[in-house]
Amino acid sequence: MPDSVPPHRRHTPASEHGPPRPTRVTAGRVEAVRPGVRGADAARPGAARPDLPRADTTWSDGVRPDGVRPDSAGLDAARLEAARLNAAHTAAESADITTVDTASHIGAHRDTRSGAPRLSAAQVRADLGASLVVFLVAVPLSLGIALASGAPIMAGLVAGVVGGVVAGLLGGSPLQVSGPAAGLTVIVAGLVAQFGWQLTCLITVGAGLLQIAFGLTRIARFAQAIPPAVVHGMLAGIGITIALAQLHVVLGGAPQSSALANILELPARLAGLHTRAVAVGVTAIVIMVLWPRLPGPQKAVPGALVAVAAATALAVAWPDVPRVDLPGNLLESVALPVLPDSGLWPAVLGGMLTVALVASVESLLSAVAVDRLAGGRARTDADRELLGQGAGNAVSGLLGGLPITGVIVRSSANVRAGARTRASTVLHGCWIALFGIVLVAAIEVIPLAALSGLLVVVGLQLVKAVDMRTARAHGDLAPYAVTVLGVVFLNLLEGVAIGLVLAAALMLRRAARARVRTEEPTSGAPRRIVVEGTCSFLSVPALSRALSSVKPGEAVRVHLAVDYLDHTAHDHLESWSRRHRATGALVEMSEPTEHLAARGS
């Protein structure tokens, strides 16, 4: 800096300005507010800065700030210095504003000049640690779900990688972890049995494209209208189906083609146990059940990993126990989809729609649960989440992977491990890719009974007592039970359809029938009959039964807290009222003002 420029006119680096500037949130952006500038100009790029000069106003006459007028020979030098100061001023202003991407990087600042996220060291450590925890949870589950689906084992790892990287980067739920899920196992197993694996991959691609269409048309909100009792019943039915099928593998046999066949075959399987396979599978089941209940810090290690590792160690001395058989590493397992014959297209399109709908509903339900677990750390954009899930399924199908969806088991592990941003999800996908490429030999020593024991527990965990209690409390236990039975003994689509029809019928019944109750008189007050809901001709029998319980001459107050009162019900009330008044009794009819106004409009 030349000596002719006074110290108070020199540009001071940002680090020398003192404490950090305050910030202001504006339309989703966090902007630095420059000191000494008030109002809207505080964050405007062209606002004045007290620490830098504006040479075009203070140096235009060639007079320096110290009052000295340079001679004509020095005037050009002064103007050059003024231009340099203006350039420094503009550069400093452009560095003042940073933004925060609140949708995808909670608390991660983003520089507007480069667009690259700036994560703090604490965030990096938190996301790195969480990604390793989720990786350890995801690997055994991905392998087991692929086994239960009848797909190539490595297809589970392919889906895990794609779910972590693609859905993790593009999805609308920053802390949700996607991958192969138990909720799709029954569907995929049926598709593989019907069409073969490569055509199932094409169905996965088509389902992904449908999900992208769902996201673009912004229909995610409609998925939330599906009754929870039906959704929970669907998941419980899937869990029971998985447990029944994998129990045969634990016992040393092979699963049958349906849940009913698995039940009927179970006595014969128990009579011909494979003792060593049973020991391996039961070891995995016991550890999966007991590990979360043990006190101490060891619970930080995922129980699924401990169960598979212990069962594998037990089976080392038993070479006759069936093990995972892989054709190669992750890269060698890529299987491209194929096109079907013309006659198969209707069934293929139906499979695409089924996978898309179930995967979308499960992902959105999982995202809602993740938001609750994370508190204020994340908020889901449902339509963007469908776009991310669709892109993930399209890529997974093209690479020969299973369908993916948001998985609550992995997502809850991610949140509880302290993840801050979507970086933890992406990193967990990278760790799975590294594992599948480098450590193939480690996968091939895992006994099938160990993975099946893991899946028996995972399947039974989908049957939750809290869901049954909630359904009963809301009067929806019948749709829940019917959906469970339909999924187990028919198929997923028919079970869900029956549950939806029953739920709709119950809703119509509740909407069309009033609730009538009688309150006994106390301390001289008249008997009170309360009518709530929609009072139509369908409610007349119940209303007549309540009115007939009033004795002749007894005072009564009829309280109509109804949304609608049709002509038949109104006529019945008026007729009874005239007859009861004829006995010398007092009859009062009352209705809330808001209901009168609503009916009058």
Coordinates of all heavy atoms in Angstrom, one line a residue, residues 282-314:
V282 N -30.9 -69.6 15.1 CA -31.4 -69.2 16.4 C -30.4 -68.3 17.1 O -30.9 -67.4 17.8 CB -31.7 -70.5 17.3 CG1 -31.9 -70.1 18.7 CG2 -32.8 -71.3 16.7
T283 N -29.1 -68.5 16.9 CA -28.2 -67.6 17.5 C -28.4 -66.2 17.0 O -28.4 -65.2 17.8 CB -26.7 -68.0 17.1 OG1 -26.5 -69.3 17.7 CG2 -25.7 -67.0 17.6
A284 N -28.6 -66.0 15.7 CA -28.9 -64.7 15.1 C -30.2 -64.1 15.7 O -30.2 -62.9 16.0 CB -29.0 -64.8 13.6
I285 N -31.2 -64.9 15.8 CA -32.5 -64.4 16.3 C -32.3 -63.9 17.8 O -32.8 -62.9 18.2 CB -33.6 -65.5 16.2 CG1 -33.9 -65.8 14.7 CG2 -34.8 -65.1 17.0 CD1 -34.8 -66.9 14.5
V286 N -31.7 -64.8 18.6 CA -31.5 -64.4 20.0 C -30.8 -63.1 20.2 O -31.1 -62.2 21.0 CB -30.9 -65.6 20.8 CG1 -30.5 -65.1 22.2 CG2 -31.8 -66.8 20.8
I287 N -29.7 -63.0 19.5 CA -28.9 -61.7 19.6 C -29.7 -60.5 19.1 O -29.6 -59.5 19.7 CB -27.6 -61.9 18.8 CG1 -26.7 -63.0 19.5 CG2 -26.8 -60.6 18.7 CD1 -25.4 -63.2 18.7
M288 N -30.4 -60.7 18.0 CA -31.2 -59.6 17.5 C -32.2 -59.1 18.5 O -32.5 -57.9 18.7 CB -31.9 -60.0 16.2 CG -31.0 -59.9 15.0 SD -30.8 -58.2 14.5 CE -32.4 -57.7 13.9
V289 N -32.8 -60.1 19.2 CA -33.9 -59.7 20.2 C -33.3 -59.2 21.5 O -33.8 -58.2 22.0 CB -34.7 -61.0 20.5 CG1 -35.7 -60.7 21.7 CG2 -35.5 -61.4 19.3
L290 N -32.1 -59.7 22.0 CA -31.6 -59.3 23.3 C -30.7 -58.1 23.2 O -30.5 -57.4 24.2 CB -30.9 -60.5 23.9 CG -31.7 -61.7 24.3 CD1 -30.9 -62.8 25.0 CD2 -32.9 -61.3 25.2
W291 N -30.0 -57.9 22.1 CA -28.9 -56.9 22.0 C -29.4 -55.5 22.4 O -28.8 -54.8 23.2 CB -28.3 -56.9 20.6 CG -27.1 -56.0 20.5 CD1 -27.0 -54.8 20.0 CD2 -25.8 -56.3 21.0 NE1 -25.7 -54.3 20.1 CE2 -25.0 -55.2 20.7 CE3 -25.2 -57.5 21.6 CZ2 -23.6 -55.2 21.0 CZ3 -23.9 -57.4 21.9 CH2 -23.1 -56.3 21.6
P292 N -30.6 -55.0 21.9 CA -31.0 -53.7 22.3 C -31.4 -53.6 23.7 O -31.5 -52.5 24.3 CB -32.3 -53.5 21.4 CG -32.1 -54.5 20.3 CD -31.5 -55.6 20.9
R293 N -31.7 -54.7 24.4 CA -32.1 -54.7 25.8 C -31.0 -54.8 26.8 O -31.2 -54.6 28.0 CB -33.1 -55.9 26.0 CG -34.4 -55.7 25.3 CD -35.2 -57.0 25.4 NE -36.6 -56.8 24.8 CZ -36.9 -56.8 23.6 NH1 -35.9 -57.1 22.7 NH2 -38.1 -56.7 23.1
L294 N -29.8 -55.0 26.3 CA -28.6 -55.1 27.2 C -28.2 -53.7 27.6 O -28.1 -52.8 26.8 CB -27.5 -55.8 26.5 CG -27.7 -57.3 26.1 CD1 -26.5 -57.9 25.4 CD2 -28.0 -58.1 27.4
P295 N -27.9 -53.5 28.9 CA -27.4 -52.2 29.4 C -25.9 -52.0 28.9 O -25.2 -53.0 28.7 CB -27.5 -52.3 30.9 CG -27.4 -53.8 31.2 CD -28.0 -54.5 30.0
G296 N -25.5 -50.8 28.8 CA -24.1 -50.5 28.5 C -23.9 -49.9 27.2 O -24.8 -49.8 26.4
P297 N -22.7 -49.4 26.9 CA -22.4 -48.6 25.7 C -22.3 -49.5 24.4 O -22.2 -49.0 23.3 CB -21.1 -48.0 26.0 CG -20.4 -48.9 27.0 CD -21.5 -49.5 27.8
Q298 N -22.3 -50.9 24.6 CA -22.2 -51.7 23.4 C -23.4 -51.6 22.5 O -23.3 -52.0 21.3 CB -22.0 -53.2 23.8 CG -23.3 -53.9 24.3 CD -23.7 -53.5 25.7 OE1 -22.9 -52.9 26.4 NE2 -24.9 -53.9 26.1
K299 N -24.5 -51.0 22.9 CA -25.6 -50.8 22.0 C -25.4 -49.9 20.9 O -26.1 -49.8 19.9 CB -26.8 -50.3 22.8 CG -27.4 -51.4 23.8 CD -28.7 -50.9 24.4 CE -28.5 -49.8 25.3 NZ -29.8 -49.4 26.0
A300 N -24.2 -49.2 20.9 CA -23.9 -48.3 19.8 C -23.5 -49.1 18.6 O -23.6 -48.7 17.4 CB -22.7 -47.4 20.2
V301 N -23.1 -50.4 18.8 CA -22.9 -51.3 17.6 C -24.2 -51.9 17.2 O -25.0 -52.4 18.0 CB -21.9 -52.4 18.1 CG1 -21.6 -53.3 16.9 CG2 -20.6 -51.8 18.6
P302 N -24.6 -51.8 15.9 CA -25.8 -52.3 15.4 C -26.0 -53.8 15.8 O -25.1 -54.6 15.5 CB -25.8 -52.1 13.9 CG -24.8 -51.0 13.7 CD -23.8 -51.2 14.8
G303 N -27.2 -54.2 16.3 CA -27.5 -55.5 16.6 C -27.5 -56.5 15.5 O -27.1 -57.6 15.6
A304 N -27.9 -56.0 14.3 CA -27.9 -56.8 13.1 C -26.5 -57.3 12.7 O -26.2 -58.4 12.4 CB -28.5 -56.1 11.9
L305 N -25.5 -56.4 12.9 CA -24.1 -56.7 12.5 C -23.6 -57.7 13.5 O -22.9 -58.7 13.2 CB -23.3 -55.4 12.6 CG -21.8 -55.6 12.3 CD1 -21.6 -56.0 10.8 CD2 -21.0 -54.3 12.6
V306 N -23.9 -57.5 14.8 CA -23.4 -58.4 15.9 C -24.0 -59.8 15.6 O -23.3 -60.8 15.7 CB -23.8 -57.9 17.3 CG1 -23.3 -58.9 18.3 CG2 -23.1 -56.6 17.5
A307 N -25.3 -59.9 15.3 CA -26.0 -61.1 15.1 C -25.4 -61.9 13.9 O -25.1 -63.1 14.0 CB -27.5 -60.9 14.8
V308 N -25.2 -61.3 12.8 CA -24.6 -61.9 11.6 C -23.2 -62.4 11.9 O -22.7 -63.5 11.5 CB -24.7 -61.0 10.4 CG1 -23.9 -61.6 9.2 CG2 -26.1 -60.8 10.0
A309 N -22.4 -61.5 12.6 CA -21.0 -61.8 12.9 C -20.9 -63.0 13.8 O -20.1 -64.0 13.6 CB -20.3 -60.6 13.5
A310 N -21.7 -63.0 14.9 CA -21.7 -64.2 15.8 C -22.1 -65.5 15.2 O -21.5 -66.5 15.4 CB -22.5 -63.8 17.0
A311 N -23.2 -65.4 14.4 CA -23.7 -66.6 13.7 C -22.7 -67.1 12.7 O -22.5 -68.4 12.5 CB -25.0 -66.3 13.0
T312 N -22.0 -66.2 12.0 CA -20.9 -66.6 11.0 C -19.8 -67.3 11.8 O -19.2 -68.3 11.3 CB -20.5 -65.4 10.2 OG1 -21.6 -64.8 9.6 CG2 -19.4 -65.8 9.2
A313 N -19.4 -66.7 12.9 CA -18.3 -67.3 13.7 C -18.7 -68.7 14.2 O -17.8 -69.6 14.2 CB -17.9 -66.4 14.8
L314 N -19.9 -68.9 14.6 CA -20.4 -70.2 15.0 C -20.3 -71.2 13.9 O -20.0 -72.4 14.2 CB -21.8 -70.1 15.6 CG -22.4 -71.3 16.1 CD1 -21.7 -71.9 17.3 CD2 -23.9 -71.1 16.5

